[in-house]
Every structure is written in C-alpha cells, then in structure tokens.
C-alpha cells in the first residue's frame, strides 16, 4: 500500500470526525434532547473510512441503521447530520428522516436504512445505473454480521454476480447483531466463505486496521471498475456502544468493551502506524483531531439553536407531483 | 386508427418510451426468456408475451432477465430509479408482492419523504391481478388496495387498451413510484389505439357512461361489469352513471363527488375482497363529503371475504357480475 | 387485583399459556438474547423486554432466538403451526412485514381454504406499531389495515393491559392465524389485571363510554385519545359514545351499527394513514347499513397521507389528538 | 444399497404412477376440460420417489408448483388429486386448491406451493414441530433450480443449521426455471456448493438414477433422525413437458426432450437395473405399470363424472371459527 500524505490526513480526519461525532452524540442523546433511536459506529471507523477513501461522488454507498460513520466517510456534511439527528430545520433530510434515514444523494450516499439488509438490492440498483449509463461508478454496500442472514442480502449477491455489476459488499462483522452473537446466527460461522459461495471473491480482513481494509477494498473497487463484477470483504471490528443508545449491553462480558478500547482501538492502531513509519507527525494528527472536535462542537451548538421544521413540512415531499 | 389488444398497447408503450429515453429499462423474470439455454432468445417475452420483441429491439442491457428473486428485482429497480434510470420492473403476479413488499413499502415509497425531498424514484412496477383463469388463491388476488394505502406510491388500474397505453407512458415519465395493475384475463381485449405516444394524466377518472339515477364507481375489469349492469338497468329505465377510476392513488375525488351529488346514489364495484378495500375507501369518501346529497345507502359489490377458489364454478360465484351490480343499484335506486 | 403494565400483562399471558400447553413456543430475534455471546442469558427478553424471563422459565427449546430472517421466522412459525405447535412469533416492528408478508398473506392465511378445510394454523404474530417515539418512517407505521384485508387472518389491537392479556390468551388458544398489534408507546400503561388466565372473545367491541349524541369508534392507542375527546365534548354538553374495536377482524359490526342508530353521528379515530384504512372500512360499513339513521357526514380523524416524520414537532402534528377528534365531533353533532 | 423386493416394487409403482398420471393430465388438459395451470413432473420421477421411499406419515414434505410427483411419492390418494385438478367435489382440497395447492396434511404432504421458495420456511417449521414434540419425524423440502435463488430458501437453510433441525433440502435441478437456464440464474453455477456454504453437507447426484437419489437421501434422513441437523442433495434430471401446459418450450433446443426421453429416462434406467440384476422380472414391472395406468384411467372417469363443489363451499373453510 502506498497512500500519499494528503490521503492519510484525509483518512485520519474522517476517522476522528466519526469518533468525535459518535462520542458527542452519546452524551447529547443522554441529555434527552435528541429524539428517536441512535445506533453508534464508534470502534468501526477504519472500515467505513478504508472502504470509502477511494470513492468519488459518482460512486454510491448504501448504509445501515448504523450509518453516521458511512455518511462522514463518504464526505457528507457533518452539521447537516447533527441538525437532522436533533430533528431540526436545515437538517440534511429536513428533520423528516433522522439518524436511521440519514442520506445525501448528491454525494452518492443512498441512505442509512432502518430495515436490516434492505440496502443490498438498492446498491445493486445503483450499480445497474452505473453500468447501464456507463458512469464508471461503483456501488458499495455495508452490512452487519446480523444482516448477512437476510434474504435480501443473499438474493442481491446472486443478482450482482448474474448481471456482473460493479458492486462491493462490505460485511461489517462486529460479532453482534443486536444481542445475538455471530457464531450463533450465522450457521456456517463464516460470513466470507458463505458469501464467496455465491460466486465472487470475498476477503476477510482486520477491520480495525485501516490499511488492511483499504488494501482489500482497492482490489474490489478496481475489479468493479474494470467490469469484472462484484466482490466483497468481511471486516472484523467491534462496536463500543450498545446496539442503540440506552442498551445496557447485558449480553457482553464485563470489561469487554473497555479492553477492546484499550488494546485494539482502530484510531490508536492507525496513529501508531503512521507516526512510527514517520509518515505523519503526532502533532499534525492532534491538530486534525482538535479541528474535528471543534467541528462537532459547532454542529451541536448550531443544531441546538436551530428551529424545528415548520408545520407545512409535514405534508410536503411525499410525491414529486400529486 | 388500428384496433390493438391491451397486450399490444402495453408492448407499444414500452417500445416507444425505451426508444425515446435510454434510461428506461425493463427488468424481470423471463421478460425476454431463454437466457443460458440452447433454444430461442426472447423465448417468453414475459409470461403473457407482453414484453415480446423488446429484447430483439433493445438488447440485453435494456431488457434484463433475472433470477427468481423478487426482493432483489424490486430493490434493484428502486435503487436504479433513485440513481438515474427509469426502470419498468415486472412482478408477474401481484400476489408475489408478499416476498418483496419491503422494497416498495419501506424503500421506494418513502425515499423522498425520509430524505427531505432530495430523492426522485421514477419506478414502474408492472404486475398482473385478478381472477377468472382458475389460477387459485395465490395467483388471482387484487392487491391494489394495499398499495393505495401507502403514501408515496401511485396506483394505476387501467380497464382498456387505450388507457393502458396512455397511463403506462404517463407512469414511465412520472417521477414517483407507480404500481401498474394489469388484469390477467384482459390482455386480448382490443380497442382503438393511436400508434404514437400519448399520456393520460393520473387522478382523472373517466366517465364511461352518463346517467342521473345512480352512480356506479368501478375499476379495472369491473368497469366492463359495471357498464354491462348499466345496460340492464337502462332497460328498466334506470340511468346509471359509470365512473372508471383509472388510478386509485391519486384518486379523482371531485368526479366521484360531483356525480353522487347529481344522482344521490352510489354503488361501488371492486373485484377485491371487501375489508379495507378501494370500495370501502370510496364509500367513506362519499359518506364524508357528499352526505347531504346522498339519498340511499351506499352499496359495495365486491368479492367475499375469502381466498380465491380454484374451481371455475366457485370462482364464478366469487367474482362480482353485472347481475349483482344491477341488483344492488335497483335496491337503492328504487 | 394488582395493577400491571401492558408489558407485564403480555408477559404473564405468555407465561400462563406456555405453562398450560407444551405446544406453545415463542420465536423471534432476541426474544431471549445473548445467544452465542459471553454476557448474560436472556439479555434482552425482546427489544422492549416483553418476553423477559420466559427463557429462564421454559428454556431454549420453548423460547427460540433466531437470526435476522423474518421470512424464515414467519414461515417456520406457520409451518410449525400447521403441524402441531402453537407458535407465538415476534415480528418486532410491524413495518418489517414488508420482508416476510408472503408467509402470512399467501401461506398461513390461505392454508385452510386452499387445502379444503383440512388445515389448522394456530399461529400468533406479535408486533409493535404506531408513532410517538420518534422512530420515523420505517418503525412507526400502523399496518393493521393491510392484515385486516386478508381473508383467513384475525387482527387484534388491544388498548389496555386487561384486554392485552385476555385477547392474547384468546389468540394463543385460537386455531386461526392471529396478528397481535402492540403500541410501542403504551407498554408502561397500567391497569387492574387478574393474575389468572382469562380470555376475551374476538369480534366483541368494548363500549368504553356511553353517550347518545355522537359515536366515536377507535382502536389501539386512539381509544384513549377518543376518551379524552369525549371528556372535552361532555364539557360542551355533547355526550359521546366511545367504542373500542379490540379486533378489526372479526369486526363487531353490530355494536357499531347499534350505537350509530342511537346517535345518528359517527367519528372514527385511526392512527393509520387514511386510504383503505380501518377508518374507511368502518365508515363504509355504516354508510351501507345504518344510512337511514345517519344524520350527519361521517368524519374520519386519521394521520395524513404521508410517511411518519422523524421530528417530534412534525410527529405531534401527524398523530390524531383529542382536540381534532372533539372538533370533528362538534362539527357534526352541532 | 440393499432395498428389498417389496420396496423396489413400491418405488416402481410410485414412479410409473407419477408418469402415467402426468402423461394423462397432459392429454386431459389439452381437451380444455381441466381448469387453471398445471406443471408436470414427468422426467423427474426418480427424485421424488427416491427421496420419499423411506418416509412415513409422521415425516413431512413440502412441495412446489410442480407437486403431483411429490404428492404421489408421499403416498397420497391419486383419485383425490385427479378430482382436485378437475376442480370437483370430493377433490382432496374440495376443489378449492387445484394443482398448485394440492396437499394432504394427514399424510405429511404440506402442500404444493404457488409461491416459488415459500415451502422452505414451512418445512423448517415442520422440523421444529418434530424436534419440539419429539415425534422423531423429519421434514423434506423440494425446490427447483430456480427456487434456489429465493431469499426464503437461503434464510431457511441458515435457520435450519442454526437450530439444528431435522430438515433435508432436495434441490431438483432440471436446469430450467420457467424459461431461464440454471447457469444464468445461479451465479455460482453450483447449487450444491452454494448451499453447502450455509454449513450443511449437500451431495450432488444423478436425479435420473433412483438408486443414487435413494442412497444420498438415506444418509440425509439418518442424519436428521439422529439429531445431527439439516443436509441436502442436488439431483439433476430434466422435465419433459413445458414449464406449464401450453408452454411451447421455445427456449429449448429442437429435439432436446426427445433425446432425453430416449436416452436417459429415469423409468428406463430403473427398469434395466432391476431386471438385469435379476431383482424383479420384467413381467412384474409391466403388471404394476398396467395397474397404475388403470388407476389413473379410473380416476379420470370418476373425476369427469363428479359434480362441482356446491355454492355453499365458496365461503366455508376460511377460518376454523369466525
Ligand atoms: C428487517 C429487520 N429486522 C430486524 C430489525 C431490528 N434490528 C435493527 S438493527 C438489528 C441488528 C443488526 O445487526 P448487524 O446487522 O450485525 O448490524 P450492527 O447493529 O451490528 O451494526 C436488528 C435485529 C430491523 N431493523 N429490520
Ligand atoms: C415468488 C414467485 N416468483 C415467481 C413465480 C413464477 N414461477 C412459477 S414456477 C417458476 C419457475 C420455477 O423454476 P424452478 O424452481 O427451477 O422449478 P421447476 O419449474 O423447474 O420445477 C416461476 C418463475 C412464482 N410462482 N413465485
Ligand atoms: Mg453486528
Ligand atoms: Mg427448474
């Protein structure tokens, strides 16, 4: 892997922005001022960022209920998302979608999705558009370990292979689906091998290692762009927070999360690597992280000060015309 | 102007729009047929031959045969629509919505609202509905009511070849998701259809027959049943106004209400089961907005609250017919 | 008699029936929770904790955690029901019916009819519906209308803890497929609930409040909204009769019609979207069978024809409230 | 494989009864007197019979739209099915179901199914009943090559593995799904391997060879009965008729079916084997076949003479009680 300094900085910026965003959302949600449900991505940053670093706005990603990280990794506006999470006017979805439906079609972010696995056929469709109109774009779909058991995901893998579409399936194995372990829910106990059985290459990587994810994705994306069809990666990395905020995580061992944070945090791994290799000096990384924290802090202040949607918004945007 | 069957009219609409707009693609199982086999290409052209010839005219990239995976078909079409194509996806039988409803109910229908007005989803889902061919409980349902209930979806139920062509072209050019219902027993019904492209706007019901004594609202195949009943009634000196809804979402409330305000009497004919149906929906509309002018109970003539039976004798009893419609009208127009 | 929440009442109903009949099993995602992980067993007891403790009491063979595969869950439950078990399957949110509707619509609902009366399918599907928690468009819908439309299915929508327990026990002992709707914002609502098992028959609406001026029909969470509206109306000297449907299929037509024949006026309150809804269904029933005694237009108070918005301010506007119900009643009871 | 003479006779009886039934239905349907759609099983008899020979009434099978063969192989009443196909009173489903919904729960035939793949979760459910109530029964599901691409089938395989249920998946690869070839529709081009990826053994066998099917099934059924969980077979065998009656089969090469009938017919293969091995003499086989033809002929006569259902039947059997 050779990644230029600017790209490394960009990757770091995305990763720390996601982390700062999620940690802050956790505390904001705890105040009770943030409505609905939020599912936090902290701990899995290296997957979204490694997967999206080489994508442009003509490339499309399909996200999950745990979509904040994918959204930021795809370069979408942080303030717009914070406003949306608070359900305010000016939110990226006008306050109508919220965390579970955060999207930015202009940036090729086809949306978080509240229906597990439902994003799979959608990104296959985005890939069909790219192939049919010859945009050169690829479509990348993110799916949790639990989602890999959904019929929609299975059908979509087969469809992408049959139609030889430029799709990359990213299986985010954080070894838990809500409160159920992957080794219980996935009968074969091997997501990558089961997916490969559909007729595409699927590589298993350490999802906490940005470089491993990026390397594997580079191969998948190149394959897709070259018209060789779909492929996938299974990236392993834990989530630090509960399934949703408020989940006490009784299904996890005591101290499990603390140990993971202390020993295998994806940010720490990235930082150590680039600093030790002398690619970026620690001070520069700190600067970027401070800026990210400031960005999130400003976003919260803006969001808390913003007005709610106006009553008229209730009945708009149902149809283009009716 | 040449007589064309509904099958030909739909095929022509697809041809014209595919020629006009490279973003229009047809997706489904055996929409061409023969893929991966040693026989002819385009061997099916759709299970009823409706898409026959499109494969030859536009080729594989525009006429896409798929595995038997409706969730992937509908979702792929929805995702493609949201990113720049105008897919016409074929569900074959509307009954199959059971295996792929999520991609319509929770995805295509809600993109625009959930994403704050930033999405456009010009998706058309063609499907077959209705009884009369002995296709039994899982291949004969009329499920347009369930789609009508979903905000974000438009629902079209044409009753003749002229409307089928004009409404389908409108559906393909429309920027919202449209579910297009074709009655499986009507493909060979023919009438005058212009060769060129034309559109029929949604939300404009068609007054098939004028009359001042009773209003009969119908849709799809039931429009012909209603018209037949109107003839029987005319013989008894009862003049029925027959309204073809054409689209159930949007619904042409104005035409229905205006008619009932004239006649004071309403019969609704719906091939679907009665509960939470289009028949109930229209009755509720009138009971709320034309009550003062209503002079008699609103009668619904629908299928019973049972699955569709296989035996032809039972299926004939199951389906609404002109006799029952006329009888209902007589009871209230007396 | 002790006060119990709806959560406790449902849990108790499941406990009692599982103890009573070894054929009763609970199936769903995290109905226990913690499977294959290093933490506690029964870590969730259902996403809302409704099935908490059943795992400890009855063990894995009776409380079955599953992968996220609703089609397999519903189909497995349907197949098990047809072969001798009495499964209570949990769909979590009713919105998820989109990914598994076929197993209800085309399988469980139709077995008995398609197989000539030889099948029994004692299946219960528990699910959550409704808004108020900021769960947005894909986790807040009220889809009981779509199930009510399906012949072969029974649909239960309880509005308090006493009814929830009695109706759920009835559902489990019932030999037909039952879809059991629980409002996600009502689990902590408590009232007096006997400790022992009891059943409430289906198709018997509950007259929550008697009154002679206007009939207000409601279901689920809207029953409390209707009752609140009735109080406001009483202050204005308008006595409303409030009817809780309890089950939408079968529907207690008699109680509704008798009431409207007394009051001559009808308002229906339904949290669902308006098209082809229970509100429309009840309005159509009355417009057909109680027309002569009807003295005013039938008013429906429902959500608008839009998806459920996320922002609390918009969601509050989206949901029917007592003020709107009272206003609708005043307009026709004037 | 050692199969006693009685069992061999029983197998032959089932196979020829299916063949006689389907050939006769083809001609009856052509007269226009048989309503609806029929999908014929001729050519695949060895699969259904090999799969069902060792099953009892406590074992349950789930069938497809092409269900006549499974129904007969499971020992259900032939006359009752013929009456049903004609939509007459006395039909096994009272004339309300027809060919696509032919079922006999008393005999463990959970029904043909008009929804491709929908039988998969149902037989998993039948297996759950067997396991929960300890009946010792197994559940066998039949699926075409096309059906293997349905989400319901994928989810069911995983569910059966996760819950370790006594299920046997029988994939009937007749290499065509309606008018689409298996090598187009199955991206991996290997149904057995893709299924094995779900974590269960799946053996590929020649579906025209009754003995090969029966051997493989014996292993699968034993495994299921011993509580070792699900498994499957992929059995290859062509269908002789169109997808449904009236289908001109334009998607097939000229002479394809004729060649298959002449060279690799499953009945001929069985007959040659047992006669050459001296297990059964040709005359005995002929006798059984003649009896089968007679049985079917009588069934047609009875069905044609039978009255239609009575009008009252329209609204019965919707609910047990309402
Ligand atoms: C079709 C459907 N089933 C169930 C749910 C409820 N649900 C939401 S997220 C989730 C767990 C998903 O686990 P996984 O795919 O591993 O993603 P993770 O949460 O670990 O990121 C479940 C069961 C849903 N939203 N949609
Ligand atoms: C969900 C669903 N999709 C499509 C169909 C239409 N259909 C009926 S049979 C069939 C082909 C099935 O092929 P296969 O599974 O190989 O079985 P075979 O007909 O070859 O026995 C199709 C597409 C259906 N009945 N149900
Ligand atoms: Mg997970
Ligand atoms: Mg096949």
């Amino acid at each position: 892997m050779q990644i230029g300094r600017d790209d490394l900085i960009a990757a770091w910026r995305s990763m720390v922005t996601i982390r700062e965003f999620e940690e802050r959302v956790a505390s904001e949600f705890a105040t009770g001022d943030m409505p609905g449900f939020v599912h936090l991505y902290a701990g899995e940053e290296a997957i979204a960022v490694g997967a999206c670093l080489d994508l442009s706005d003509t490339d499309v990603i399909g996200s999950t209920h745990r979509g904040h990280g994918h959204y930021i990794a795809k370069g979408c506006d942080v303030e717009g998302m914070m406003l949306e999470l608070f359900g305010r006017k000016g939110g990226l979805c006008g306050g109508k979608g919220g965390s579970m439906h955060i999207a930015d079609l202009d940036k090729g972010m086809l949306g978080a999705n509240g229906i597990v696995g439902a994003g799979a056929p959608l990104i296959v469709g985005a890939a069909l558009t790219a192939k049919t109109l010859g945009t050169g774009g690829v479509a990348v779909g993110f799916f949790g370990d639990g989602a890999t058991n959904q019929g929609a995901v299975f059908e979509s893998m087969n469809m992408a292979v049959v139609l030889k579409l430029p799709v990359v399936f990213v299986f985010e194995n954080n070894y838990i689906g809500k409160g159920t372990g992957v080794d219980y829910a996935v009968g074969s106990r091997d997501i990558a091998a089961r997916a490969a059985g559909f007729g595409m290459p699927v590589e298993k990587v350490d999802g906490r290692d940005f470089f491993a994810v990026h390397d594997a994705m580079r191969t998948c994306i190149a394959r897709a762009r070259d018209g060789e069809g779909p492929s996938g990666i299974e990236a392993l990395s834990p989530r630090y927070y509960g399934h949703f905020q408020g989940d006490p995580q009784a299904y996890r061992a005591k101290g499990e999360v603390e140990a993971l944070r202390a020993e295998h945090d994806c940010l720490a791994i990235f930082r150590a690597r680039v600093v030790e290799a002398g690619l970026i000096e620690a001070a520069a990384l700190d600067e970027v992280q401070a800026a990210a924290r400031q960005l999130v802090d400003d976003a919260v202040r803006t969001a808390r000060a913003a007005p709610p949607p106006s009553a008229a918004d209730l009945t708009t945007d149902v149809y283009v015309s009716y | 102007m040449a007589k064309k069957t509904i099958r030909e009219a739909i095929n022509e609409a697809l041809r014209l729009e595919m020629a006009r707009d490279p973003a229009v693609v047809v997706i489904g199982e055996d929409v061409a047929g023969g893929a991966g086999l040693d026989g002819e290409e385009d061997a099916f052209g759709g299970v009823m031959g409706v898409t026959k010839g499109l494969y030859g005219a536009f080729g594989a990239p525009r006429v896409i045969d798929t595995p038997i995976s409706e969730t992937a078909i509908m979702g792929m079409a929805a995702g493609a629509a949201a990113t720049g194509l105008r897919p016409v996806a074929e569900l074959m039988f509307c009954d199959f919505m059971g295996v792929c409803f999520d991609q319509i109910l929770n995805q295509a229908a809600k993109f625009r609202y959930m994403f704050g007005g930033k999405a456009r989803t010009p998706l058309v889902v063609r499907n077959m509905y209705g009884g009369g061919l002995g296709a039994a409980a899982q291949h004969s349902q009329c499920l347009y009511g369930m789609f009508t209930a979903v905000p974000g979806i438009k629902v079209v139920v044409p009753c003749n070849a002229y409307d089928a062509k004009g409404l389908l072209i409108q559906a393909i050019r429309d920027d919202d998701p449209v579910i297009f219902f074709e009655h499986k027993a009507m493909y060979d019904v023919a009438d005058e259809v212009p060769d060129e492209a034309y559109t029929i706007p949604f939300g404009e019901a068609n007054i098939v027959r004028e009359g001042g004594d009773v209003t009969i609202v119908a849709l799809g195949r039931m429009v012909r049943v209603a018209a037949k009943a109107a003839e029987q009634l005319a013989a008894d000196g009862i003049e029925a106004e027959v309204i073809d809804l054409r689209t159930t979402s949007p619904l042409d409330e104005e035409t229905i209400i205006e008619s009932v305000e004239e006649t004071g009497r309403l019969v609704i004919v719906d091939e679907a089961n009665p509960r939470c149906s289009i028949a109930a929906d229209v009755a509720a509309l009138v009971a709320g907005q034309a009550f003062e002018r209503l002079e008699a109970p609103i009668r619904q003539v629908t299928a019973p609250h049972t699955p569709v039976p296989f035996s032809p004798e039972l299926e004939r009893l199951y389906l609404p017919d002109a006799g029952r419609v006329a009888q209902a009208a007589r009871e209230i127009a007396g």
Side-chain angles (χ1 to χ4, degrees), chain B residues 29-30 47 68-70 91-93 96 99 138-139:
Chain B
E29 295 159 16
D30 294 294
V47 65
I68 307 171
S69 310
E70 285 77 12
L91 181 56
M92 208 175 308
F93 293 81
F96 304 165
V99 302
Q138 293 176 337
H139 287 71

Side-chain angles (χ1 to χ4, degrees), chain B residues 193-282:
Chain B
V193 178
D195 295 340
E196 66 278 8
Y198 59 92
T199 62
I200 297 174
F202 292 165
E204 289 188 15
N206 182 27
I207 299 180
V208 175
R209 182 186 192 285
E210 301 201 337
D213 299 331
V214 58
T215 300
I216 305 180
V217 169
L219 72 167
R221 194 184 190 192
M222 292 300 106
V223 172
R224 332 184 99 242
V225 171
K228 195 146 161 250
E231 284 165 30
Q232 297 179 12
L233 290 165
D236 310 356
I238 300 172
E239 291 305 325
E241 181 143 291
V242 178
I243 297 176
D244 166 15
L245 292 179
R246 275 187 174 153
T247 64
T248 61
S249 180
L251 181 71
D252 185 352
E253 304 187 349
E254 200 182 325
T255 297
I256 296 166
I257 288 164
E258 276 174 9
S259 176
V260 174
E261 282 177 344
E262 284 306 311
T263 62
R265 294 170 165 79
L266 174 62
V267 175
I268 308 145
V269 195
D270 185 351
E271 190 183 324
N273 301 114
R275 302 300 311 282
C276 301
S277 60
I278 294 298
D281 189 75
V282 171

